[in-house]
Amino acid sequence: MTQPLAQTLHASIDIGANLTHARFAKDLAQVISRAQQAHISHIVVTGTSIAESTAAIALCQQYPHYLYCTAGIHPHDASQFDAHNYEQLKQLASQPCVRAIGETGLDFNRNFSSPQQQIHAFEQQIALAIELQPPLFLHERDAHEKQLDILKYYRPQLVNAVIHCFTGDKQQCFNYLDLDLHIGVTGWICDEQRGQALRECVAAIPPHRLMIETDAPYLSPKTQPKPKLARKGRNEPCTLNYVAEAVARCSQREIDEVIQQTAATSRLFFGLGLQAKAEAKPLRT
Ligand SMILES: [Zn+2]
């Protein structure tokens, strides 16, 4: 039997799940239904390329007001950022379900695209966020200094930005908080070894700047008892409350308080539950 987490009064929000990933292609309806049973009230699907962002929008249209998404080009794919992408992303971002630009940022860990290509794609997406004024959904791995420099420069023109899947240390966390950015925490925090630095600094993140996410199908929470809630060796949004539980334990708070506060922060950040203008129009029949 899977051990249920303590029953909570509040529903949680997963601000980052890669539901257009091929590993969800066959049974997405069950994945969504398990998330609903696990008391997840909204999921923000991550857009990582033009194709994946387009697919994310199509998914949102299947689950209106439950799924929302971002539209962007991941740093790994930055080498493919071409002259048309700005306009294409602009069009995608005009869809009411799109609530942030990204995932964008810098990843010098694997350098699947060169640093120059990543910086170019990042600055283009920042320019789009400045033009349209949605928040930014950011990725950063082993590129803290450069990412911080770029964000410092543009921050006054940006509404809001979240460093999703933050895995850095206390100083890096404070550097981002000093720019008044939000921080997204994944199952990384459930890993006592790899997540040590994060476990030590999560208590310092103010509740109105902290959000939680699964980054499914990646980063299954290690604290999940067996048999795992999520199936097929992948992570799913239904494991989100293991992240909330670890955040609560590391910051000596109640899990219910963490869920309530991260959900409230996420609703404000992404405007969830708020109808965008276009959604207020009568439905086409
Ligand atoms: Zn990422």
Side-chain angles (χ1 to χ4, degrees), residues 26-52:
K26 288 199 181 129
D27 61 347
L28 187 72
Q30 285 101 301
V31 169
I32 302 264
S33 129
R34 277 196 285 278
Q36 288 168 332
Q37 281 161 30
H39 223 39
I40 312 298
S41 67
H42 299 290
I43 301 170
V44 182
V45 180
T46 311
T48 54
S49 64
I50 296 291
E52 301 288 327

Side-chain angles (χ1 to χ4, degrees), residues 46 74-75 103 107 137-141 164-165 215:
T46 311
H74 194 280
E103 124 176 52
D107 190 320
F137 188 87
L138 300 174
H139 170 108
E140 180 255 306
R141 196 72 74 239
H164 114 93
C165 192
D215 206 20

Side-chain angles (χ1 to χ4, degrees), residues 30 43 56 61 70 83 97 100 188 191 208 228-229 240 268 271:
Q30 285 101 301
I43 301 170
Q61 287 164 349
T70 71
C97 59
W188 190 270
D191 187 325
H208 66 295
K228 293 179 177 173
L229 277 177
L240 182 65
L268 269 181

